[in-house]
Amino acid sequence: MSETPWSSSSLASHFADEAYATVKGYVRTYVMNQQLLEHLPPPPAPVLDVGGGAGHQSFPLAHAGYDVTVLDSSPAMLDKARQRLQRLPGEAQRRVTLLEADGHNADEAVNGRRFAAVLCHGVLGYLEQPEALVDQLCRCAAPGGIVSIMTGNAKAMAVQPALERRWDDALASFDARTGIGVLGLPGRADTVEEVSEFLRNRGVEPLRWYGVWLFVDWLEFSGAELDPSDSKQVAATAAVELEASRRDPYRQLSRVFHLVGRKGTIADRQNRGPIVS
């Protein structure tokens, strides 16, 4: 993670200040927050956000009363997090810790502390081999705690180039695992089944998976402009996206997916729970 492109201050600014200021950025934050709240214990449970960047996903949790640690290897992204942290109420600010460290060393960086929830959103796709990072996520989760991963959906790789009418690229993408994302960076995608197996091999049982973007994604790639200042339309859009994220076949068509698992206790290992749905 220390060698990711997020060390660039210009890219950090684009991501933190521009990408999340769009309707699509709002939808991501809202939809994933609602999905997380279906599984999180009540506040002030401790949450670790690995590769948490500027805190877009974890700061709302701090605002809701959770004890949040944002771990990121990029000083530029953490500078953005510090700036954004000042916008939170004082009590929420005091519930946030910013920690500069590589996710591959997360267990050591948090001094062996265990968390009720460990988040890792939008990071695995920048790693050629994600298993080592997944291992750290699972280590940092407390028994009974959740692990939350968002990453690219390998089964929907043709969506972006097709909607951009790059037909040759779309045809080649049906069996591809890599591509250029919306920020112009190369990335890699996984399947729900693969990431579920990574978790199971480390004592974390997958609970549920969701889509994240669908219609806003398609509209953006087809050239439509969505107005983030139209609060009524933004709220309506987010409501539709949340519903689509929970249902088949819609979630299967999302370019990214969100998978939530729970770390087992001794009793859980003796009595295996249901598989991911």
Side-chain angles (χ1 to χ4, degrees):
M1 288 174 63
S2 58
E3 298 301 322
T4 67
W6 304 107
S7 299
S8 162
S9 59
S10 60
L11 182 59
S13 294
H14 173 62
F15 183 73
D17 300 332
E18 298 175 31
Y20 271 97
T22 64
V23 173
K24 187 171 172 178
Y26 174 82
V27 164
R28 167 176 165 165
T29 302
Y30 173 79
V31 166
M32 292 194 65
N33 188 63
Q34 295 302 306
Q35 294 164 355
L36 282 169
L37 291 176
E38 294 180 11
H39 303 279
L40 286 174
V47 175
L48 174 65
D49 191 356
V50 176
H56 286 89
Q57 201 62 62
S58 53
F59 284 4
L61 297 177
H63 195 279
Y66 289 91
D67 176 11
V68 169
T69 298
V70 177
L71 184 151
D72 202 282
S73 62
S74 168
M77 291 301 292
L78 290 175
D79 283 345
K80 286 295 177 184
R82 292 185 186 94
Q83 294 170 24
R84 296 188 65 253
L85 188 59
Q86 299 306 310
R87 305 172 196 167
L88 296 183
E91 288 187 6
Q93 290 184 37
R94 289 188 287 273
R95 288 192 285 267
V96 176
T97 300
L98 302 180
L99 185 60
E100 184 179 336
D102 192 304
H104 288 102
N105 303 316
D107 185 28
E108 179 181 358
V110 299
N111 297 314
R113 184 183 179 191
R114 297 297 177 250
F115 295 81
V118 179
L119 320 181
C120 187
H121 300 155
V123 177
L124 264 61
Y126 296 104
L127 305 175
E128 289 187 13
Q129 301 294 332
E131 294 95 327
L133 180 58
V134 175
D135 185 68
Q136 288 290 301
L137 305 177
C138 297
R139 285 176 183 268
C140 291
I146 72 165
V147 176
S148 170
I149 294 174
M150 187 204 80
T151 193
N153 180 7
K155 295 181 179 180
M157 291 294 288
V159 169
Q160 180 180 350
L163 291 173
E164 293 175 340
R165 287 167 281 188
R166 295 186 284 114
W167 302 115
D168 290 342
D169 292 340
L171 190 60
S173 295
F174 282 106
D175 297 311
R177 284 302 188 97
T178 59
I180 302 298
V182 293
L183 294 176
L185 299 173
R188 185 193 53 77
D190 298 285
T191 68
V192 172
E193 292 80 8
E194 289 165 347
V195 179
S196 294
E197 190 63 20
F198 291 160
L199 294 179
R200 286 193 185 96
N201 289 341
R202 292 159 178 83
V204 175
E205 187 65 22
L207 297 174
R208 191 171 183 185
W209 73 273
Y210 309 85
V212 178
W213 294 306
L214 184 63
F215 304 114
V216 290
D217 217 29
W218 294 359
L219 287 167
E220 177 183 84
F221 293 136
S222 65
E225 293 187 9
L226 302 177
D227 182 4
S229 68
D230 188 338
S231 59
K232 184 176 181 180
Q233 282 295 309
V234 171
T237 302
V240 171
E241 290 284 351
L242 179 60
E243 193 63 27
S245 77
R246 296 166 168 161
R247 292 174 179 251
D248 290 327
Y250 304 103
R251 65 174 183 168
Q252 298 169 334
L253 299 172
S254 294
R255 282 191 317 110
V256 294
F257 66 85
H258 178 204
L259 174 63
V260 179
R262 188 176 304 282
K263 188 170 183 177
T265 62
I266 294 176
D268 292 331
R269 288 192 287 272
Q270 293 172 344
N271 301 283
R272 285 288 185 181
I275 63 173
V276 63
S277 61

